[in-house]
Amino acid sequence: MEAVLGSDASVAGDETVYGFSASQDGSGRVCQFLLDCPLFAASTLEDKARSVGLAYIKELKPGEALFHKGDRAKTLFYILDGRLALEDEPNKGSLGTGFYGEESVMGMPTYIAGLVANGACTVLVMPRAFIALHSQYADFCQGIVEHFHGRLSGELAIHQPASSHAIARVDNGILVGWALSLCIPLVVFLGLHSLKSEGLLDLSDNGITYSAILGTCAVMWMFRLLPDYITGLFSILSAVLMGIAAPDTAFSGFSSDSFFLAMGILGLSVVIKSSGLSYRLFIALLRIGPARKFWYNLSFFTVGALLTPFIPTTNGRVTLVANLLPEILTGMQEKIRRAEGPRLKMNLLHGASLLSPFFVSSKSVNFIVLGMLPLQVQESFQWVSWFIAGSAVCGVMLVLYLLLNLIMFRNSVNFTVPKSIVRSQQQLLGRLTGQEWSGLLGLAVLLFGLMFSSLHKLDIAWVAMAILFYLMMFGFLGQKQFRASIDWSFLVFLGSLIGMVNVIRETGIHLWLSDQLNFLVVLMDSSPGIFVVVLAISIALVRIVLPINATVIVFATLLIPLASNVSLNPWIIGFLILLFSESFILPYQASYYSLFLELTSAVEVGSQKKIFVFHCAIWLIKLGAVYASIPFWVHLGLLA
């Protein structure tokens, strides 16, 4: 027993007294203990307040047992004052202040040794209800385990959460952002009013006020002051509260077809994620293809590409596929990871993101752009026709992407994943489960609805909602999953963006801005080739400071109305904005790129410099693909 708890009194306890003050009553000591002890730093104030009524102070007389060996471990103790001794060996050293009875937190059925008071002792008693309240916090559980291990090893060290003594620091960029978010709208408001008073501006007062609000939103997006959906909600809520637009207009996005289509697809994507259907697809690809690195890279890209039309958030697709990277690279030699790792990593990332502009259902901003097109154009560019119109760009871009991939990441390293392992994995997965079948059925119905919408005459949004209803009715999408797994922040963001665009139209801001860009009308009509370069460079510069969604909204609001006056179909403008806005070089420019790097950080790969050059080259590939597709658009009648 001496080897278990240690006989050296200097390491028997942590020798730190939390919450001990002779002038306080019992509840005061408990309260002070909860505030002082670092193990409770992560606990909420509400849970700490509840704990005061659960724990209590107990005085032990000399020789009185704290607990006996073999007693049920259901209470945690902390010695505030006095010392303890082993029940079986009372004369062999003593144990000072600290936690005892850690077995109750770690789930052990009984105490491994008995302890008795070696003199008068003051003990804080924490019963089972107290333990259950704080066991939800990792800091508490980890600290107790470390305390127990420290006593066993004779080297006690209390776990100190970094947050308990960390000095709060505010990023200077955040301070600058909030300062600008207060100053920019004031400058915009006063500046536009000054122009109007001089007769140089034809914009309503509501339009001027909402322009100032949009200035605040632009700064918030630029400096990432708030999540995107909160900024979007702020824009439409401000419009209602300030009387700029009616609630029916500002919140119209939450009753739009795009909102319900996205909700239905998100519900289907939850079933696909939770069922493991995407992983089964990946294993099937490895099984049917050759055991070569080319096929592994193609499989990585294919999995993300197949998910693109059906999961309407790039972050969701990236989260789903990121765990496939360790599937190939874990256990490989460092030489292989550094040589082939960057290629695998890029194919996994771009498989889930590169094709986003080609499917209207792949991202929220695609729905926004579709809604900004004239009604006649919207009817002509639903899911299938949208993809057909962009298919030439897609095909050329994929060919150039493959060539770039082969050239930039070429190496002489060869590696294989044994087919025996793949067969064993497929065998363990077994037959398709009911949830997987439901996901496949939902995908088939959705695809049929999208492809043959001209025949069945049903709005695809209600087809998606019918799929969602089917999944919930038969229990494939449970109540908890519906609440916790559907990306509600995405839906709020989508609804607020649609409402923002409608407010812009109602206030006439888009007409005024379009009048200021008449020179682009001439460029679109007379020199569409030059216009494409100007647009691509402009978007690339704006993307240095603005996120993808904000960039799309700004350019679409300004440029799509101009296309109605030229021989260029408005869809081409919206498509080009989506295509070039999706480009990125550094992680901060795309939230899903940052997320992907975080999720795959455990797998080290080769040079980041090569990846940087690769992303720059993708921008050129997109530009080349657009130029190569101009004859195809002329053939479709989209371009004169």
Side-chain angles (χ1 to χ4, degrees):
M1 189 59 65
E2 179 181 347
V4 175
L5 291 179
S7 60
D8 188 349
S10 65
V11 298
D14 60 36
E15 303 298 338
T16 304
V17 181
Y18 299 111
F20 181 75
S21 175
S23 61
Q24 289 180 310
D25 59 11
S27 61
R29 291 187 185 184
V30 173
C31 180
Q32 195 63 45
F33 172 80
L34 292 169
L35 293 174
D36 292 346
C37 184
L39 269 62
F40 301 97
S43 301
T44 65
L45 293 177
E46 180 182 352
D47 284 342
K48 289 178 181 177
R50 290 178 176 178
S51 302
V52 174
L54 298 175
Y56 58 92
I57 302 295
K58 180 180 180 180
E59 301 291 341
L60 291 183
K61 299 177 181 179
E64 185 178 352
L66 183 64
F67 51 77
H68 301 286
K69 178 180 179 180
D71 284 353
R72 290 183 60 82
K74 55 184 180 180
T75 307
L76 179 67
F77 304 93
Y78 189 89
I79 304 301
L80 294 170
D81 184 41
R83 304 189 76 81
L84 301 173
L86 292 172
E87 187 178 36
D88 297 336
E89 302 169 343
N91 298 322
K92 225 169 193 182
S94 61
L95 308 170
T97 57
F99 286 97
Y100 296 94
E102 298 98 324
E103 298 93 328
S104 59
V105 179
M106 297 187 295
M108 300 172 67
T110 60
Y111 297 114
I112 62 175
L115 295 175
V116 297
N118 194 4
C121 287
T122 304
V123 182
L124 175 64
V125 182
M126 293 162 275
R128 180 172 293 175
F130 180 101
I131 296 170
L133 189 62
H134 292 279
S135 291
Q136 61 182 309
Y137 299 104
D139 284 336
F140 172 74
C141 297
Q142 183 181 352
I144 291 297
V145 172
E146 289 181 2
H147 193 284
F148 185 71
H149 178 267
R151 279 200 294 116
L152 295 184
S153 62
E155 299 177 358
L156 189 65
I158 288 288
H159 170 68
Q160 188 80 1
S163 59
S164 61
H165 295 293
I167 299 176
R169 299 185 181 182
V170 180
D171 187 359
N172 290 333
I174 300 297
L175 290 177
V176 171
W178 281 114
L180 288 176
S181 69
L182 296 175
C183 297
I184 291 296
L186 185 62
V187 172
V188 172
F189 183 82
L190 295 177
L192 293 180
H193 263 294
S194 176
L195 292 174
K196 184 176 181 179
S197 63
E198 296 175 7
L200 300 176
L201 176 67
D202 183 19
L203 191 62
S204 66
D205 290 341
N206 282 342
I208 293 175
T209 305
Y210 198 63
S211 297
I213 293 172
L214 292 178
T216 301
C217 294
V219 174
M220 288 181 176
W221 276 323
M222 184 184 305
F223 288 89
R224 277 74 174 177
L225 300 180
L226 294 171
D228 288 347
Y229 72 95
I230 296 180
T231 302
L233 198 58
F234 163 78
S235 69
I236 58 175
L237 185 60
S238 299
V240 173
L241 295 178
M242 300 185 72
I244 297 172
D248 291 346
T249 300
F251 289 89
S252 58
F254 296 96
S255 60
S256 65
D257 290 352
S258 297
F259 182 85
F260 290 106
L261 175 60
M263 181 185 291
I265 295 177
L266 278 174
L268 179 59
S269 69
V270 170
V271 175
I272 294 174
K273 292 178 187 178
S274 59
S275 67
L277 191 58
S278 58
Y279 181 73
R280 185 185 290 274
L281 171 63
F282 175 67
I283 294 298
L285 288 172
L286 293 184
R287 177 75 184 273
I288 63 177
R292 295 182 179 276
K293 62 182 181 182
F294 173 79
W295 184 255
Y296 302 149
N297 281 281
L298 183 60
S299 298
F300 269 20
F301 189 90
T302 301
V303 170
L306 291 177
L307 292 174
T308 299
F310 306 108
I311 298 182
T313 63
T314 310
N315 288 53
R317 296 193 295 270
V318 164
T319 303
L320 199 58
V321 302
N323 60 354
L324 299 179
L325 188 64
E327 186 76 22
I328 296 292
L329 291 181
T330 300
M332 294 292 180
Q333 298 177 0
E334 184 178 356
K335 177 183 177 181
I336 296 176
R337 288 203 308 270
R338 293 196 170 277
E340 194 63 22
R343 192 206 310 256
L344 288 166
K345 206 166 188 176
M346 289 301 96
N347 284 328
L348 198 60
L349 171 65
H350 290 292
S353 62
L354 191 63
L355 302 183
S356 294
F358 302 98
F359 300 96
V360 71
S361 57
S362 66
K363 291 195 70 175
S364 60
V365 287
N366 295 18
F367 292 118
I368 303 300
V369 170
L370 178 64
M372 295 177 72
L373 297 174
L375 290 177
Q376 186 176 357
V377 179
Q378 288 185 39
E379 294 176 359
S380 303
F381 287 93
Q382 293 300 316
W383 198 89
V384 176
S385 51
W386 181 296
F387 176 74
I388 291 174
S391 59
V393 179
C394 182
V396 174
M397 189 177 70
L398 288 177
V399 171
L400 295 177
Y401 176 86
L402 176 62
L403 293 176
L404 178 68
N405 206 294
L406 293 174
I407 293 171
M408 285 201 62
F409 296 110
R410 66 181 184 274
N411 59 76
S412 58
V413 171
N414 289 313
F415 70 99
T416 61
V417 177
K419 288 287 187 178
S420 58
I421 294 179
V422 178
R423 284 194 296 270
S424 298
Q425 289 174 317
Q426 197 171 42
Q427 184 179 358
L428 283 173
L429 289 175
R431 296 182 177 181
L432 288 170
T433 64
Q435 194 175 30
E436 288 174 315
W437 277 116
S438 68
L440 285 174
L441 179 60
L443 285 175
V445 173
L446 181 63
L447 189 60
F448 177 85
L450 291 168
M451 294 180 65
F452 300 102
S453 57
S454 59
L455 297 178
H456 57 67
K457 304 299 182 181
L458 293 174
D459 194 319
I460 191 59
W462 309 123
V463 174
M465 287 300 293
I467 294 172
L468 178 64
F469 174 75
Y470 152 75
L471 294 173
M472 293 189 296
M473 183 177 70
F474 289 100
F476 298 116
L477 181 63
Q479 186 176 357
K480 290 184 178 179
Q481 282 184 311
F482 184 75
R483 289 199 308 263
S485 299
I486 287 183
D487 192 349
W488 294 106
S489 61
F490 161 79
L491 289 172
V492 171
F493 182 57
L494 174 61
S496 61
L497 286 183
I498 296 174
M500 180 192 297
V501 171
N502 290 336
V503 174
I504 289 174
R505 287 179 170 176
E506 184 171 293
T507 54
I509 296 175
H510 67 300
L511 297 176
W512 171 71
L513 289 174
S514 299
D515 290 340
Q516 315 310 309
L517 299 174
N518 279 331
F519 70 95
L520 287 177
V521 176
V522 178
L523 199 58
M524 285 183 194
D525 202 20
S526 60
S527 304
I530 298 177
F531 170 75
V532 170
V533 176
V534 172
L535 178 64
I537 294 175
S538 301
I539 290 177
L541 293 175
V542 172
R543 284 283 290 110
I544 295 175
V545 293
L546 282 185
I548 295 173
N549 294 331
T551 302
V552 171
I553 292 172
V554 170
F555 278 90
T557 302
L558 295 179
L559 299 181
I560 288 180
L562 298 178
S564 59
N565 301 323
V566 298
S567 56
L568 193 66
N569 191 288
W571 175 86
I572 293 181
I573 302 297
F575 174 76
L576 292 177
I577 292 170
L578 291 170
L579 182 69
F580 291 119
S581 296
E582 199 67 35
S583 301
F584 58 88
I585 296 175
L586 299 174
Y588 84 91
Q589 292 182 293
S591 60
Y592 57 81
Y593 185 25
S594 300
L595 175 64
F596 180 76
L597 293 179
E598 179 183 343
L599 294 174
T600 59
S601 59
V603 183
E604 296 182 4
V605 296
S607 172
Q608 295 300 315
K609 183 178 180 180
K610 184 178 291 187
I611 292 176
F612 176 85
V613 176
F614 184 73
H615 286 150
C616 293
I618 287 180
W619 184 85
L620 295 175
I621 284 176
K622 291 180 177 180
L623 192 61
V626 170
Y627 278 110
S629 304
I630 288 178
F632 177 72
W633 285 339
V634 172
H635 173 71
L636 293 180
L638 304 178
L639 182 64

